[in-house]
Amino acid sequence: MLRHGANGYLIQQFYSAQSNLREDKWGGNLQKRMKFPLAVTDAVIEAKKSLNKPEFIIGYRFSPEEPEDNGITMSETFALVDELCKKELQYLHISLHDFFVHARRGADTNRTRIEQIHERIGGKLPLIGVGNLLSSEDIQKAVSLKSTEFIALGKSVMINPNMATLLKNDEFDKIETTLDADKKDSYRFPKKLWKLIEMKLDFLPKIKE
């Protein structure tokens, strides 16, 4: 179970001073804006307990920074991470467009966001990292940096449906980074998804030119 506090969805909107303009107990300063993300997290944890489902895994996904002037900063993410580490969660999941991108503000801009978040967590919870890891070189680099306990793959798994097997067998040379239109049927995408891919939307895999 993933509490989705990333990618501009509702939970993130409450935490961001850019989008949260409320004047009640759910908006204003950092502590008030943090109340909603933590309240949702607590509610999910309590539901797990009430249903007596100890095997049910709960994590929290977050985007560490926003580009707007009043958007979330690294220092604000540190504060949220500190509180999340006190909860009965099984993992945290950082959502990045680029796994290796440096911090923008509120932290050391000479270092990556993900390594600084990992240090802040300090082993209290495992961290999953994701961020446009497409090539075999980038995947191996992400693993070697040890700035997360796990890495997640999105587009690369869409392009390589057998990704798990390739990684298990160290067949990095067989990892593709773009879709092949001549092998469209092998991906088993719904027709609507393939149409979106052909529209060349940034958040979807690219087709070989």
Side-chain angles (χ1 to χ4, degrees), residues 33-146:
R33 286 185 280 113
M34 195 187 296
K35 282 185 177 181
F36 185 76
L38 297 182
V40 173
T41 301
D42 288 340
V44 174
I45 293 172
E46 285 306 309
K48 172 182 174 177
K49 292 180 179 178
S50 67
L51 294 170
N52 191 28
K53 293 289 184 179
E55 73 279 7
F56 195 73
I57 295 174
I58 303 173
Y60 190 104
R61 177 178 170 117
F62 60 92
S63 296
E65 290 192 88
E66 294 177 328
E68 298 85 3
D69 289 342
N70 293 323
I72 295 171
T73 66
M74 285 288 289
S75 59
E76 291 174 330
T77 292
F78 288 153
L80 177 61
V81 164
D82 288 345
E83 294 305 312
L84 291 172
C85 284
K86 300 174 185 177
K87 304 295 182 181
E88 295 178 58
L89 298 173
Q90 281 67 62
Y91 65 92
L92 297 178
H93 187 165
I94 183 171
S95 177
L96 298 165
H97 178 68
D98 180 349
F99 190 95
F100 309 105
V101 71
H102 285 199
R104 179 184 287 112
R105 58 191 174 181
D108 187 344
T109 57
N110 294 312
R111 302 174 64 208
T112 65
R113 293 169 178 167
I114 201 163
E115 65 178 319
Q116 295 184 74
I117 293 294
H118 192 245
E119 285 183 3
R120 187 76 178 203
I121 295 170
K124 299 181 184 73
L125 289 171
L127 178 65
I128 302 173
V130 67
N132 214 32
L133 297 171
L134 289 172
S135 70
S136 60
E137 292 80 13
D138 282 346
I139 293 171
Q140 291 179 84
K141 179 181 177 183
V143 172
S144 67
L145 290 176
K146 298 182 179 179

Side-chain angles (χ1 to χ4, degrees), residues 179-191:
L179 293 167
D180 187 344
D182 293 334
K183 299 191 297 184
K184 182 165 60 174
D185 292 341
S186 69
Y187 301 115
R188 299 181 181 178
F189 294 160
K191 291 182 179 179

